[in-house]
Amino acid sequence: MLSDANGASCHASLLLRVLAERPEAAALALLEDADGNPATTTPYAVLAQHLLRFVLEQAANECTEQSSDLPIGFAQRTRTVCPACGTAAERTAHVFAADLDPPQGSAALASLLAGGTASLRRADTQRGSDQPADFLSLVSRALARSDTMRAWCAGCRSFQLLRTDKRITAPPVGFLALNFPVLDAPWQLALPSGFDLEVSADGDCPVRALPPGESSQYRMQLAAVVSSIRDTPKGNEHLVVHVRVPQAAGGGWLLLNDFLVQPVTESSVVTLGDWWRTPSIALYAQSPNMDESAAVESPVDLSSTLILTAPTSVLDSPTYKGQSTPAMHQKRRGAKSAKPQSIPRSRFVAAKRNAAVPLTQAEAARLLTERSFRCALDAEFVVLEAAKMEVFGDGTRELHRPPVHTLARLSVVRANGGLLHGVPFIDDYVAATRPIEDLATQYSGIHAGDLTAGSSPHKLSTMKEVYRKLRLL
């Protein structure tokens, strides 16, 4: 997307729209309000961690058969033992990110106790020394930790101090995400550019620094860092991300913020001692995943013109949950009532025809191989949220928030001459997924029910399917 923009600003509108439709995202306060203010007082660094976990959980639920199929995270074994009766319980789960402990020291200890997430055992370990721990010790502790907490024991049938051991069982296949705790004082540590990860048979996880020039089977290399920055100690927060790109100049690191993308040095990425910077997430990748020559596969096959020559929609599937087949009711003579008879799904979908004539194979081949394929595009939009405007006593108006529109219909016609000149090959009505405040029929030509899945007289498509066709063009 950034390469296609050719220097223009990019906005993840589709991602934000999907997040806005998820009640779980609203419960986690992941989105700002309409005026750009945070929906909660939670620091942006913590919200970034919540967003990462939320996106990965959704991807695991919807895109893969199990969480371990995702190339991020690791398998973790949790064993809980009651020292009084010896009752033990064990379970294995896939963890997307490891939570780092604060460095040792009085300030870190105060933050640890105030957070309410640490046990007394972990707090006791902080009292032993005022010297800060090195970063690799924190990583090792995050991947193999032991806690003591008061909980219900089924064997004793009472509350006991249970010991919980959490151990990584295998090194991450792709990426390892590390969450930083938010501290009042700056981090007086530097991120290592890489380290070797070793997992022993009993689940212990010794982590050692990366020796220069030494090969390792599980070498982790720093790939990205998410941070929250501010201009003044009490100023507004902004999220930035440093991404390692082997092809980039200036040491292979790029800084992405709200407005621009620019190369930076590695020292500015790994140094965490600045007061204006709060680290949130550090993402390490196995070295093969950071290979400069590694090919990045797109999840969408842009070389296939099947979506233009034989277009189909997920809305046509009989198993689609958001669309139901309407029933036609017939009454027989002499009968007071009759059971409704449903039209077969295939007949109902086939009866819906739009004005589009799909591309021929020759046109599709010309579209991919020649730059002279001409077409004309027209789009219609409906209003999801009206503009927020203030009218003053003298009749002047001040716009506080512009209206929010969404695509309702997309038409693309041929403009190459010949018999099919002016005939559309795309004429898609987009199924509505959010409440529509104004159809703007006098401008859009969209009437009530046109975008309702299951009852629309038109053949509907999803927003993703329409964007895929535009992306191919």
Side-chain angles (χ1 to χ4, degrees), residues 444-460:
S444 66
I446 303 297
H447 295 81
D450 284 354
L451 308 181
T452 304
S455 60
S456 173
H458 308 287
K459 196 171 185 298
L460 299 181

Side-chain angles (χ1 to χ4, degrees), residues 362-379:
E363 290 177 319
R366 182 181 176 186
L367 174 65
L368 292 180
T369 58
E370 302 180 12
R371 303 182 65 89
S372 60
F373 186 89
R374 297 180 179 179
C375 57
L377 180 148
D378 181 42

Side-chain angles (χ1 to χ4, degrees), residues 101-106 108-110 112 120-131 133 138 141:
D101 284 342
Q104 295 177 2
S106 57
L109 175 60
L112 183 65
L120 293 178
R121 182 182 181 87
R122 289 174 60 190
D124 287 339
T125 61
Q126 300 284 21
R127 295 191 179 97
S129 174
D130 290 334
Q131 298 297 325
L138 298 179
R141 191 185 306 166

Side-chain angles (χ1 to χ4, degrees), residues 53 67 72-78 93-99 175-176:
R53 181 174 283 108
S67 301
I72 186 171
F74 53 90
Q76 183 184 75
R77 183 182 71 247
T78 302
H94 186 83
V95 180
F96 294 118
D99 297 326
F175 297 88
L176 172 65

Side-chain angles (χ1 to χ4, degrees), residues 83-307:
C85 65
T87 302
E90 186 174 309
R91 60 184 178 88
T92 302
H94 186 83
V95 180
F96 294 118
D99 297 326
L100 298 175
D101 284 342
Q104 295 177 2
S106 57
L109 175 60
S111 300
L112 183 65
L113 294 176
T117 59
S119 65
L120 293 178
R121 182 182 181 87
R122 289 174 60 190
D124 287 339
T125 61
Q126 300 284 21
R127 295 191 179 97
S129 174
D130 290 334
Q131 298 297 325
D134 63 279
F135 185 80
L136 294 181
S137 299
L138 298 179
V139 174
S140 180
R141 191 185 306 166
L143 298 179
R145 67 167 73 250
S146 296
D147 292 329
T148 302
M149 58 183 299
R150 182 173 293 276
W152 179 262
C153 175
C156 301
R157 302 187 63 85
S158 63
F159 284 95
Q160 298 288 346
L161 285 176
L162 305 183
R163 177 183 175 85
T164 302
D165 296 324
K166 296 181 179 181
R167 297 288 186 270
I168 179 175
T169 58
V173 177
F175 297 88
L176 172 65
L178 302 173
N179 291 335
F180 288 82
V182 177
L183 305 177
D184 296 332
W187 281 73
Q188 301 300 327
L189 295 176
L191 290 174
S193 59
F195 58 84
D196 289 347
L197 188 62
E198 297 179 353
V199 179
S200 60
D202 59 354
D204 292 333
C205 180
V207 181
R208 59 188 178 91
L210 178 65
E214 181 178 330
S215 61
S216 173
Q217 184 179 3
Y218 302 119
R219 173 177 294 182
M220 310 301 296
Q221 190 171 5
L222 186 62
V225 181
V226 180
S227 306
S228 171
I229 63 172
R230 61 180 72 212
D231 296 332
T232 62
K234 299 298 182 182
N236 296 330
E237 292 184 272
H238 301 276
L239 287 175
V240 299
V241 58
H242 295 89
V243 180
R244 182 178 181 271
V245 181
Q247 298 84 356
W253 283 94
L254 294 178
L255 168 65
L256 291 81
N257 61 17
D258 295 341
F259 306 102
L260 55 85
V261 178
Q262 66 180 14
V264 294
T265 61
E266 183 174 298
S267 61
S268 64
V269 178
V270 300
T271 303
L272 304 179
D274 300 316
W275 64 265
W276 46 266
R277 179 184 179 188
T278 302
S280 174
I281 303 170
L283 188 66
Y284 283 86
Q286 275 202 26
S287 294
N289 295 289
M290 295 299 299
D291 186 6
E292 184 172 352
S293 61
V296 179
E297 297 183 0
S298 171
V300 179
D301 183 10
L302 297 178
S303 64
S304 174
T305 58
L306 191 62
I307 57 177

Side-chain angles (χ1 to χ4, degrees), residues 410-432:
L410 175 70
S411 301
V412 184
V413 300
R414 297 168 173 87
N416 296 297
L419 297 177
L420 295 178
H421 180 79
V423 177
F425 60 93
I426 297 178
D427 186 25
D428 289 353
Y429 288 78
V430 183

